[in-house]
Coordinates of all heavy atoms in Angstrom, one line a residue:
G1178 N -6.7 8.0 -2.8 CA -5.7 8.2 -3.8 C -5.6 9.7 -4.1 O -6.2 10.6 -3.4
A1179 N -4.9 10.0 -5.2 CA -4.7 11.4 -5.6 C -5.2 11.7 -7.0 O -5.0 12.8 -7.5 CB -3.2 11.7 -5.5
E1180 N -5.7 10.7 -7.6 CA -6.0 10.8 -9.1 C -7.4 11.1 -9.4 O -7.7 11.8 -10.4 CB -5.5 9.5 -9.8 CG -4.0 9.4 -10.0 CD -3.2 9.2 -8.7 OE1 -3.7 8.4 -7.9 OE2 -2.2 9.8 -8.5
H1212 N -4.2 3.0 3.8 CA -3.2 3.8 3.0 C -3.9 5.1 2.7 O -4.9 5.1 1.9 CB -2.8 3.0 1.8 CG -2.0 3.8 0.8 ND1 -0.7 3.9 0.8 CD2 -2.4 4.5 -0.3 CE1 -0.2 4.7 -0.2 NE2 -1.3 5.0 -0.9
I1213 N -3.4 6.2 3.3 CA -4.1 7.5 3.3 C -3.4 8.5 2.4 O -2.2 8.8 2.5 CB -4.2 8.0 4.7 CG1 -5.1 7.1 5.6 CG2 -4.8 9.4 4.7 CD1 -5.2 7.5 7.0
H1214 N -4.2 9.1 1.5 CA -3.9 10.3 0.8 C -5.0 11.3 1.3 O -6.2 11.0 1.3 CB -4.1 10.2 -0.7 CG -3.1 9.4 -1.4 ND1 -2.2 9.9 -2.2 CD2 -3.0 8.0 -1.5 CE1 -1.4 8.9 -2.8 NE2 -1.9 7.8 -2.3
Q1245 N -1.1 4.1 7.5 CA 0.0 4.3 6.5 C -0.3 5.6 5.7 O -1.3 5.7 5.1 CB 0.1 3.1 5.5 CG 1.2 3.2 4.5 CD 1.2 2.0 3.5 OE1 0.6 2.1 2.5 NE2 1.7 1.0 4.0
L1246 N 0.6 6.5 5.8 CA 0.5 7.7 4.9 C 1.2 7.5 3.6 O 2.3 7.0 3.6 CB 1.1 8.9 5.7 CG 0.3 9.5 6.9 CD1 0.9 10.7 7.4 CD2 -1.2 9.7 6.5
S1247 N 0.6 8.0 2.6 CA 1.3 8.0 1.3 C 2.4 9.1 1.3 O 2.2 10.2 1.6 CB 0.3 8.4 0.2 OG 1.0 8.7 -1.0
T1248 N 3.6 8.6 0.8 CA 4.6 9.6 0.6 C 4.8 9.8 -1.0 O 5.6 10.6 -1.4 CB 6.0 9.1 1.1 OG1 6.4 7.9 0.4 CG2 6.0 8.9 2.6
G1249 N 3.9 9.1 -1.7 CA 3.9 9.3 -3.2 C 3.1 10.6 -3.5 O 3.5 11.2 -4.5
G1250 N 2.1 10.9 -2.7 CA 1.3 12.0 -3.0 C 0.7 12.0 -4.4 O 0.2 10.9 -4.9
S1251 N 0.7 13.1 -5.1 CA 0.3 13.2 -6.5 C 1.6 13.4 -7.3 O 2.6 13.7 -6.8 CB -0.7 14.3 -6.7 OG 0.0 15.5 -7.2
V1252 N 1.4 13.1 -8.6 CA 2.6 13.2 -9.5 C 3.2 14.7 -9.5 O 4.3 14.9 -10.0 CB 2.3 12.8 -11.0 CG1 2.1 11.3 -11.0 CG2 1.1 13.5 -11.5
H1253 N 2.4 15.6 -9.0 CA 2.8 17.0 -9.1 C 3.5 17.5 -7.8 O 3.9 18.6 -7.7 CB 1.5 17.9 -9.3 CG 0.8 17.5 -10.6 ND1 1.3 17.6 -11.8 CD2 -0.4 16.9 -10.7 CE1 0.5 17.1 -12.7 NE2 -0.6 16.7 -12.0
R1259 N 7.3 15.8 -0.1 CA 6.9 14.4 0.1 C 7.6 13.8 1.4 O 7.1 13.0 2.1 CB 7.1 13.5 -1.1 CG 6.0 13.8 -2.2 CD 6.4 13.2 -3.5 NE 6.8 11.8 -3.5 CZ 7.3 11.1 -4.5 NH1 7.6 11.8 -5.6 NH2 7.6 9.9 -4.3
S1271 N 4.3 4.7 2.7 CA 4.6 4.1 1.4 C 6.0 4.6 1.0 O 6.4 5.7 1.3 CB 3.6 4.4 0.4 OG 3.4 5.8 0.2
L1272 N 6.7 3.7 0.3 CA 8.1 4.1 -0.2 C 8.2 3.4 -1.6 O 8.4 2.2 -1.7 CB 9.1 3.6 0.7 CG 10.5 4.2 0.6 CD1 11.4 3.9 1.8 CD2 11.2 3.9 -0.7
T1273 N 8.0 4.2 -2.6 CA 8.0 3.6 -4.0 C 9.5 3.4 -4.5 O 10.3 4.3 -4.3 CB 7.2 4.4 -5.0 OG1 5.8 4.4 -4.5 CG2 7.3 3.9 -6.4
F1279 N 3.4 7.1 -15.6 CA 2.1 7.0 -14.8 C 1.1 7.7 -15.7 O 0.8 8.9 -15.7 CB 2.3 7.8 -13.5 CG 1.3 7.5 -12.4 CD1 1.6 6.4 -11.5 CD2 0.2 8.2 -12.3 CE1 0.7 6.1 -10.5 CE2 -0.7 7.9 -11.3 CZ -0.4 6.9 -10.4
F1284 N 5.8 9.5 -12.4 CA 5.9 9.4 -10.9 C 7.3 9.2 -10.5 O 8.0 8.2 -10.7 CB 5.0 8.2 -10.4 CG 5.0 8.0 -9.0 CD1 5.1 9.0 -8.0 CD2 4.8 6.7 -8.4 CE1 5.1 8.8 -6.7 CE2 4.8 6.5 -7.1 CZ 5.0 7.5 -6.2
E1308 N 6.7 0.0 -2.3 CA 5.7 -0.2 -3.4 C 6.5 -0.4 -4.7 O 7.4 0.3 -5.0 CB 4.8 1.1 -3.4 CG 4.0 1.3 -2.2 CD 2.7 2.0 -2.4 OE1 2.6 2.7 -3.4 OE2 1.8 1.9 -1.5
F1310 N 6.0 -0.9 -8.6 CA 5.1 -0.7 -9.8 C 5.7 -1.4 -11.0 O 5.0 -1.4 -12.0 CB 5.0 0.8 -10.1 CG 4.2 1.6 -9.1 CD1 4.6 1.8 -7.8 CD2 3.0 2.2 -9.6 CE1 3.8 2.6 -7.0 CE2 2.2 2.9 -8.7 CZ 2.6 3.2 -7.4
I1338 N 2.0 -2.9 -7.0 CA 0.9 -2.1 -7.6 C 0.9 -2.3 -9.1 O 1.7 -1.8 -9.8 CB 1.1 -0.6 -7.3 CG1 1.5 -0.3 -5.9 CG2 -0.1 0.2 -7.8 CD1 0.5 -0.1 -4.9
R1390 N -4.4 -5.5 -1.3 CA -4.8 -4.1 -1.1 C -5.9 -3.9 -2.1 O -5.9 -4.4 -3.2 CB -3.6 -3.2 -1.5 CG -4.1 -1.7 -1.5 CD -2.9 -0.8 -1.7 NE -3.2 0.1 -2.8 CZ -2.4 1.2 -3.1 NH1 -1.4 1.5 -2.3 NH2 -2.7 2.0 -4.1
E1394 N -8.8 4.1 -4.5 CA -7.6 4.6 -5.1 C -7.2 3.8 -6.4 O -6.7 4.3 -7.3 CB -6.4 4.6 -4.1 CG -5.1 5.0 -4.8 CD -3.9 5.3 -3.8 OE1 -4.2 5.4 -2.6 OE2 -2.8 5.4 -4.3
Ligands
KMH1740 N1 -0.5 8.9 -6.5 C1 0.6 8.2 -7.2 C2 1.3 9.2 -8.0 C3 1.9 6.2 -3.0 O1 0.9 6.4 -2.4 O2 3.0 6.2 -2.4 C4 1.5 7.6 -6.2 C5 1.0 6.7 -5.2 C6 2.0 5.9 -4.5 O3 -0.2 6.7 -4.9

Side-chain angles (χ1 to χ4, degrees):
E1180 282 70 42
H1212 168 85
I1213 296 176
H1214 290 251
Q1245 178 182 97
L1246 288 183
S1247 164
T1248 64
S1251 95
V1252 289
H1253 307 294
R1259 286 166 53 193
S1271 58
L1272 196 168
T1273 296
F1279 201 88
F1284 178 31
E1308 297 207 342
F1310 287 68
I1338 315 274
R1390 172 171 128 170
E1394 174 167 347

